[in-house]
Amino acid sequence: ECRVISAQNVFSDLRQIKDDTETANIKKAIEIAQDSLENTLPFITIGKTEREIANELVVQLLKAGSDAELPFQPIVAAGENSANPHAIPSDRKVHAGDLVLIDWGARWNGYCSDLTRTFAMANITPEFEKIGQIVESANQSARKIKRTSMTSHQIDQAARNVIVAAGYGNFFTHRTGHGIGLEAHEEPYIQTGGQNELINGMVFTIEPGIYLPKNGGIRIEDNVIVRDGCLETLTTYPREIKIL
């Protein structure tokens, strides 16, 4: 005659706060991810397909020590496909002038990292060079926020306001971030209207982006942890749009 009650909310609240061991695991997952991308860059050449690049990145993640179960399959999106925030790697080949958006992560002792960087092949148009600077500024604005108390809405707005002020508000089409830990997407969610109070030990992503349909998109995603009214950035990989 027992009554089963869901403990989802209880465990969700507990998992939002990472202790030192959990944070160390996430940092190691970030280190593996960053090294893996660096080792993949020489493979990214004109004529390679999105799928080939994604597969090479998976190989490099495993070589660098990631758990066999990745947080998610890497996204590699070139040219017009980079305008889709949730693109699936295809047989589209990389061409000169393409943007190449890469969203990837590693897992260490069960804990996840989740990063995004965008590259340009051979050259970049003036508009996307400008957009890259806007997205980087939005990312930095959110990561540098300092408040004695802060909500997910305030973090979202810190990034979103930069993009809106630059005239691209309609092209930032998703939330600013999400928690990471044992899963690649968990509480807290960093979004407009979010009332989650962000407290010490919460780890989440900051990932603003601008996506021009049928043209291309740029996203810059970092992982941060709340520390005494500030956000400590755990990721260190360069954020500017590197030309390959």
Side-chain angles (χ1 to χ4, degrees):
E1 298 178 355
C2 68
R3 183 164 62 95
V4 178
I5 301 173
S6 173
Q8 178 177 345
N9 291 337
V10 174
F11 284 109
S12 176
D13 289 344
L14 288 172
R15 282 174 48 180
Q16 287 187 66
I17 311 301
K18 274 64 178 182
D19 62 24
D20 290 343
T21 299
E22 292 175 300
T23 303
N25 285 331
I26 293 172
K27 286 181 177 179
K28 180 64 175 180
I30 290 169
E31 178 184 323
I32 291 171
Q34 294 182 154
D35 289 345
S36 300
L37 180 66
E38 190 66 19
N39 292 334
T40 302
L41 290 186
F43 184 84
I44 305 175
T45 57
I46 292 170
K48 291 285 173 51
T49 68
E50 297 170 340
R51 196 189 312 272
E52 288 172 333
I53 296 167
N55 289 343
E56 177 65 18
L57 181 51
V58 169
V59 170
Q60 294 298 336
L61 284 163
L62 297 177
K63 280 185 175 181
S66 175
D67 293 356
E69 182 183 352
L70 298 176
F72 54 91
Q73 290 301 305
I75 294 173
V76 176
E80 70 284 351
N81 290 345
S82 62
N84 177 2
H86 307 291
I88 297 173
S90 71
D91 291 324
R92 185 200 186 279
K93 293 183 178 180
V94 172
H95 305 294
D98 280 348
L99 293 172
V100 180
L101 186 152
I102 301 178
D103 186 337
W104 84 109
R107 191 187 294 271
W108 177 260
N109 285 342
Y111 285 83
C112 303
S113 59
D114 183 1
L115 300 83
T116 305
R117 292 294 185 266
T118 308
F119 302 88
M121 295 302 299
N123 60 77
I124 186 171
T125 67
E127 181 176 24
F128 275 120
E129 186 174 16
K130 172 187 171 184
I131 287 173
Q133 294 169 353
I134 295 167
V135 173
E136 186 175 351
S137 294
N139 171 287
Q140 183 177 20
S141 178
R143 288 188 297 108
K144 298 301 183 182
I145 193 168
K146 294 183 179 180
R147 302 180 68 96
T148 53
S149 64
M150 64 182 88
T151 66
S152 57
H153 173 81
Q154 290 165 337
I155 301 295
D156 178 272
Q157 292 302 295
R160 196 171 302 276
N161 289 344
V162 173
I163 294 175
V164 170
Y168 289 93
N170 290 336
F171 303 102
F172 180 13
T173 54
H174 55 74
R175 64 194 171 208
T176 293
H178 56 81
I180 55 173
L182 290 171
E183 296 182 62
H185 291 79
E186 59 183 45
E187 294 282 355
Y189 293 102
I190 312 302
Q191 58 193 353
T192 301
Q195 296 306 309
N196 312 62
E197 183 182 359
L198 304 178
I199 58 179
N200 286 344
M202 288 185 172
V203 180
F204 50 87
T205 68
I206 298 291
E207 50 180 300
I210 294 175
Y211 312 92
L212 305 186
K214 300 181 180 179
N215 196 347
I218 293 174
R219 178 165 69 252
I220 301 173
E221 178 179 16
D222 285 293
N223 302 164
V224 302
I225 185 169
V226 180
R227 295 290 194 204
D228 299 323
C230 298
L231 300 183
E232 176 187 333
T233 302
L234 303 177
T235 36
T236 60
Y237 201 87
R239 297 169 184 87
E240 67 272 8
I241 309 303
K242 182 177 181 179
I243 296 179
L244 302 178

